[in-house]
Amino acid sequence: MILACDDRGTGPVVVLIHGFPLDRSMWAAQVEALARDHRVIAPDLRGIGDSPMADGVFDVDTLADDVNETLDSLGVAGQAVVGGLSMGGYVAFSFLARHGARVRGLVLLNTRAGGDSPAAAEGREKLAAELEAKDSVEPVVQAMIPKLFAPKTFAELPELVEAVRERALRLNPRALASTLRGLAIRPDRTGMLGSIRVPTLIIGGADDQVIPRDEICAMANGISGAEVRIIPDAGHLTPIEASETVNKHLSMFLSRMDA
Ligand code: MLT
């Protein structure tokens, strides 16, 4: 499937894959900053935002293949730095496993290599069924918004929280249900970490309730030469909560790669 995306700037290609329950707008600050000297491509995954809907379970391999097809359709010939936040990171791992020749660098933000525990997978199925039964994204918004931000963001930047909530409320409940079912069956990528040979930047939030810093650091330890940055006072959505700091780390990483 060819995805809707932001495609800005010229230069070495950077692909940014959004998390759940978000869309490509979560990367607005990164697209703006990086497009000064890169071509930045940020897709909406299937069923999300402006991308087409489809039947079936949206497993991470299918999502990675969509990204690959989209890059083909945009005429991206060479390699790209591939980045993803949380679910976007799971998709980036699949992209690396399936289309590795296309990857010159990885950026893993607030994500993990492990798969779901049986309890987590069951929780996703329950939530997916609720979304379908109510034909509403409210259950996801209620379950997730309180976990996505650091206490400091809730206290000092409520407008950011509100903007994410509003975007989430516009998503398609059927697409979110299909995505949740796909996330529940994603493979455990821990065994792949030791074979990653491309430069890798890992970013976490010191106050991330979804993926705690210990898990981020364990993943970083598994990837040879990975650079890890834990951002103080940021939660699960570092590119939104700490956009300037994330942009600084991304720019430094990319300029070292481009040098
Ligand atoms: C995300 O932010 O993409 C989700 O929290 C990922 C997940 O539920 O595992």
Side-chain angles (χ1 to χ4, degrees):
M1 172 187 293
I2 295 175
L3 304 170
C5 48
D6 287 329
D7 180 7
R8 290 262 309 275
T10 52
V13 176
V14 181
V15 179
L16 297 173
I17 308 171
H18 63 79
F20 177 96
L22 300 148
D23 61 17
R24 71 188 202 255
S25 69
M26 64 155 284
W27 300 112
Q30 286 68 45
V31 171
E32 188 66 36
L34 300 180
R36 287 181 207 126
D37 38 22
H38 292 84
R39 181 176 181 188
V40 190
I41 297 173
D44 277 335
L45 296 176
R46 61 172 55 199
I48 301 295
D50 299 322
S51 283
M53 185 51 189
D55 292 331
V57 170
F58 298 177
D59 61 85
V60 287
D61 284 350
T62 302
L63 298 179
D65 290 353
D66 287 347
V67 174
N68 189 52
E69 208 180 316
T70 303
L71 295 184
D72 285 342
S73 78
L74 294 172
V76 174
Q79 290 184 309
V81 171
V82 177
L85 177 124
S86 200
M87 169 180 74
Y90 314 155
V91 176
F93 278 127
S94 277
F95 191 90
L96 185 67
R98 296 164 75 79
H99 309 287
R102 235 176 171 161
V103 181
R104 66 188 280 258
L106 261 187
V107 185
L108 301 169
L109 302 100
N110 306 81
T111 194
R112 56 162 61 96
D116 270 10
S117 65
E122 206 178 299
R124 291 201 204 266
E125 176 50 42
K126 265 176 94 173
L127 195 51
E130 204 182 337
L131 293 176
E132 287 172 335
K134 296 191 172 149
D135 193 25
S136 161
V137 296
E138 269 297 345
V140 153
V141 169
Q142 274 173 23
M144 293 203 63
I145 295 285
K147 294 192 216 155
L148 293 181
F149 300 92
K152 189 166 179 195
T153 309
F154 280 116
E156 294 179 15
L157 298 167
E159 66 282 5
L160 291 188
V161 178
E162 216 26 60
V164 168
R165 184 197 309 276
E166 274 171 23
R167 296 293 299 193
L169 285 170
R170 279 190 248 152
L171 299 174
N172 175 348
R174 281 199 310 120
L176 294 188
S178 304
T179 306
L180 281 166
R181 294 193 172 107
L183 294 180
I185 55 166
R186 73 186 188 280
D188 183 340
R189 301 294 190 187
T190 312
M192 183 183 162
L193 299 181
S195 63
I196 295 177
R197 293 284 172 266
V198 292
T200 301
L201 170 65
I202 294 178
I203 292 178
D207 296 334
D208 187 341
Q209 299 175 56
V210 180
I211 304 188
R213 64 191 294 167
D214 290 356
E215 236 183 298
I216 299 280
C217 294
M219 179 174 70
N221 285 338
I223 304 177
S224 161
E227 189 181 320
V228 59
R229 302 278 174 241
I230 303 292
I231 303 184
D233 292 322
H236 190 56
L237 301 186
T238 52
I240 296 176
E241 298 179 81
S243 57
E244 283 181 21
T245 310
V246 167
N247 289 354
K248 185 185 78 188
H249 292 316
L250 283 171
S251 294
M252 277 169 16
F253 175 72
L254 293 171
S255 48
R256 268 199 306 279
M257 283 193 63
D258 296 340

